[in-house]
Amino acid sequence: MTERLTIRRPDDWHVHLRDGAMLQAVAGFTARQFARAIIMPNLTPPVTDVAAAEAYRDRILAALGEGADFTPLMTCYLTDDSDTEAIAAGHAAGVFTACKLYPAHATTNSAHGVTDILKLTRVLETLQRIGMPLLIHGEVTDRSIDIFDREAVFVERVLTPLTRDYPALKIVLEHITTAEAAAFVTEAAHPIAATITPQHLLINRNALFDGGLRPHAYCLPVLKRETHRLAVRRAAVSGSPRFFLGTDSAPHVVGAKQSGCGCAGIFNAPHALEAYLKVFEEEDALDRFEGFASEHGARFYGLPLNEGTVTLVRGAAEVPARIGEGDTAVVPFMAGETLAWRFEG
Ligand code: DOR
Ligand code: ZN
């Protein structure tokens, strides 16, 4: 039995670090495990221009303090009025790594998102030309579509024509949850990849209703049925360079989750690597863990692989029931459970 696993330092290709007190509370968990992370721009107000992204990057680095070896990779939140030239200039200047497309009202702080992808024609032509990745929250927002079907319908109605119309546009379909999304990304003759979260690999929609309503298992895209979880797991451990780690760690203060209208988001940063490793071990795919965690994402983004390594060791690790206090009290993913691996650093 493998007792220690040392891999190249990994990256998190999708994380919400928030701002203010919550940023102070959570940034260290991501920086402890990952060398770089794609920082989601859905603050209030959203990060839509270069100045806001630079200021946010500085706040992240300040929250981590001197000597932190962590690089935040900033993203631009697309709106119906996005400034194409400014985005391209921000990319050329090294501020924006990618653009994030939230369909309006698809999820937390997406009210300023895009109401119709046709409004993005100039932006998309430019991203395709300059090789800047488009990161997509892939769910339709049509209220008449069942919430469990919104990703599959997005793949059919939006993603399929998008890849046809922009054949060279680099796309990351974020936090995939369905067999349809996994199949599309696997098979498309297109520069497309997908991030996968630990929760969509480890639990299915039954976890939302396990003996009662479970707000801490609620995220968007919502957990799906078991057949989808198994399809997403197969994709993650397949070794395909199109699938890589993106936690979608999304902290909300405990009162905002345990509420009559609880927020979507699972805070998984504290034990992210250990949770992913559980999946790769169960699938007898430890040899593919490093590719998924540390290589596929960087290659897709055209960034260098990290130097240095991290080590995980076998040994019980308890996930705390709660982390932080007051306006930063959060319940982590797998709270109260025992993990079989421990992150050594
Ligand atoms: O569950 C989610 N939480 N999904 C998202 O897309 C956004 C995120 C958040 O910002 O809380
Ligand atoms: Zn997210």
Side-chain angles (χ1 to χ4, degrees):
M1 206 187 237
T2 311
E3 295 297 324
R4 291 173 71 79
L5 191 70
T6 296
I7 59 167
R8 182 186 294 279
R9 279 185 82 200
D11 304 300
D12 183 352
W13 298 99
H14 185 135
V15 71
H16 300 265
L17 292 185
R18 311 302 193 205
D19 213 343
M22 191 61 93
L23 169 63
Q24 301 288 330
V26 304
F29 291 110
T30 293
R32 177 171 164 264
Q33 295 204 329
F34 300 104
R36 298 172 290 201
I38 285 280
I39 311 298
M40 286 296 142
N42 62 331
L43 304 181
T44 23
V47 178
T48 54
D49 61 42
V50 172
E54 285 178 317
Y56 185 31
R57 183 173 63 186
D58 290 347
R59 294 198 297 281
I60 294 167
L61 293 173
L64 292 170
E66 294 269 314
D69 186 8
F70 176 74
T71 305
L73 302 172
M74 309 310 290
T75 57
C76 179
Y77 182 115
L78 294 178
T79 71
D80 287 351
D81 309 311
S82 283
D83 181 341
T84 307
E85 281 68 42
I87 290 170
H91 183 61
V95 178
F96 284 138
T97 298
C99 283
K100 178 70 188 277
L101 168 59
Y102 288 103
H105 306 292
T107 186
T108 309
N109 288 344
S110 63
H112 302 279
V114 175
T115 59
D116 183 348
I117 199 153
L118 292 174
K119 305 221 178 199
L120 288 182
T121 303
R122 284 201 59 229
V123 173
L124 299 179
E125 283 168 1
T126 300
L127 298 187
Q128 173 169 253
R129 180 169 47 76
I130 67 179
M132 182 176 182
L134 176 70
L135 317 183
I136 302 182
H137 183 113
E139 289 190 287
V140 294
T141 53
D142 184 342
R143 285 319 197 222
S144 69
I145 306 292
D146 189 282
I147 191 166
F148 293 101
D149 297 333
R150 287 181 192 168
E151 182 177 284
V153 173
F154 185 92
V155 169
E156 184 193 318
R157 287 194 193 162
V158 184
L159 192 59
T160 301
L162 183 69
T163 52
R164 201 184 303 132
D165 294 346
Y166 301 91
L169 178 64
K170 265 190 182 181
I171 296 172
V172 181
L173 188 58
E174 298 292 337
H175 41 51
I176 62 164
T177 63
T178 58
E180 288 86 347
F184 186 89
V185 171
T186 301
E187 292 159 15
H190 191 93
I192 187 167
T195 54
I196 303 179
T197 77
Q199 57 266 23
H200 293 111
L201 293 168
L202 285 165
I203 52 180
N204 66 31
R205 65 191 191 179
N206 288 338
L208 286 161
F209 311 106
D210 190 6
L213 200 53
R214 300 286 186 168
H216 300 293
Y218 175 52
C219 64
L220 288 171
V222 72
L223 297 168
K224 304 298 191 296
R225 63 165 70 238
E226 179 66 358
T227 47
H228 292 293
R229 184 183 75 98
L230 295 177
V232 171
R233 259 171 103 99
R234 280 195 294 275
V237 304
S238 67
S240 163
R242 292 189 169 189
F243 298 99
F244 44 84
L245 186 159
T247 63
D248 199 16
S249 184
H252 291 277
V253 67
V254 63
K257 297 282 297 172
Q258 296 173 199
S259 146
C261 184
C263 292
I266 293 181
F267 177 55
N268 58 32
H271 296 89
L273 277 181
E274 299 92 314
Y276 282 113
L277 189 49
K278 176 175 162 64
V279 174
F280 279 75
E281 176 156 59
E282 287 168 0
E283 296 292 332
D284 202 11
L286 286 184
D287 57 324
R288 299 190 174 159
F289 184 57
E290 183 174 41
F292 179 79
S294 315
E295 295 173 351
H296 300 167
R299 290 205 182 105
F300 187 81
Y301 274 81
L303 294 169
L305 300 184
N306 296 315
E307 300 294 329
T309 59
V310 297
T311 298
L312 293 114
V313 291
R314 192 176 296 284
E318 278 269 318
V319 182
R322 191 183 276 223
I323 294 174
E325 283 170 25
D327 59 0
T328 66
V330 285
V331 174
F333 180 50
M334 303 179 83
E337 293 185 41
T338 304
L339 291 157
W341 290 87
R342 202 193 309 264
F343 179 78
E344 194 179 70

